[in-house]
Amino acid sequence: VSSFQLEWIDSFRPDISVALNLTPDHLDRHASFENYCRAKLRIFENQVERDVAVLNADDSVLARQSLRRPRVCWFSRTRGLPAGASLNGTRIVFRDDHGETVLLDRGDIGLRGEHNLENVLAAASAAWLIGVPAAAIAAGVRSFPGVEHRIEFVADIGGVQFFNDSKATNVDAALKALDAFPGGLLVILG
């Protein structure tokens, strides 16, 4: 849900909300990063104790959030967590009161970039929390081709690969896309 939509919510209440990161965006509308964060964090406003917020433990802004409600489920690509989703070697695991469950292997992710690993950790967490079996989560991730304009492969011409990442409309998104490649890039920005 966009910050623009969240500014106007009244009774909107997701059973599961997901926050991947909070980095400066839409400051032409919100005037400050603090105002932008305030708008984005409204997603939790109407959630109750039985609802869940899936949050990125690696994001410095989100890691500082202490929500009374909803319940918080953390995920991390950089460290193991006592509860929530994280990497254990090459496996994406979910830990809770029932133990550790392997949801999928990192190799199942066909998308480039560490940010897409975070996206998968968040999506797999949400799916697991609503009862989707691990095998179905892995199959869904393996079959997901990505979306248009987000590090989308366009063509290979004479051994040069072309990608479209025109959805990277802020500095953070552009840097994450650039980090998804090992080097040797020619970048066209506009």
Side-chain angles (χ1 to χ4, degrees), residues 100-135:
E100 180 177 290
T101 304
V102 176
L103 300 181
L104 63 145
D105 192 85
R106 186 175 180 161
D108 292 331
I109 304 171
L111 305 175
R112 291 177 173 268
E114 294 298 297
H115 67 291
N116 278 318
L117 172 58
E118 291 177 350
N119 292 340
V120 168
L121 284 161
S125 295
W128 181 252
L129 290 166
I130 63 168
V132 177

Side-chain angles (χ1 to χ4, degrees), residues 75-76 79-81 84-88 91-95 121:
F75 69 89
S76 173
R79 64 185 183 277
L81 299 173
S86 59
L87 285 175
N88 184 350
R91 300 177 308 166
I92 293 175
V93 299
F94 193 93
R95 293 185 184 107
L121 284 161

Side-chain angles (χ1 to χ4, degrees), residues 16-148:
I16 297 179
S17 58
V18 175
L20 298 168
N21 58 58
L22 281 171
T23 59
D25 203 2
H26 306 299
L27 300 185
D28 56 331
R29 178 184 180 101
H30 297 293
S32 72
F33 182 53
E34 292 74 24
N35 288 344
Y36 172 70
C37 289
R38 213 174 352 268
K40 289 296 282 187
L41 294 173
R42 288 195 71 197
I43 196 165
F44 312 121
E45 191 170 291
N46 296 316
Q47 287 190 288
V48 296
E49 289 79 12
R50 70 178 178 272
D51 299 329
V52 181
V54 176
L55 301 178
N56 187 348
D58 300 329
D59 182 86
S60 62
V61 177
L62 292 172
R64 291 192 306 266
Q65 300 306 307
S66 64
L67 303 172
R68 288 183 298 117
R69 55 176 173 64
R71 294 181 294 129
V72 173
C73 173
W74 295 101
F75 69 89
S76 173
R77 71 174 172 82
T78 64
R79 64 185 183 277
L81 299 173
S86 59
L87 285 175
N88 184 350
T90 64
R91 300 177 308 166
I92 293 175
V93 299
F94 193 93
R95 293 185 184 107
D96 58 19
D97 294 340
H98 305 291
E100 180 177 290
T101 304
V102 176
L103 300 181
L104 63 145
D105 192 85
R106 186 175 180 161
D108 292 331
I109 304 171
L111 305 175
R112 291 177 173 268
E114 294 298 297
H115 67 291
N116 278 318
L117 172 58
E118 291 177 350
N119 292 340
V120 168
L121 284 161
S125 295
W128 181 252
L129 290 166
I130 63 168
V132 177
I137 293 170
V141 169
R142 275 192 303 273
S143 66
F144 183 65
V147 294
E148 290 182 329

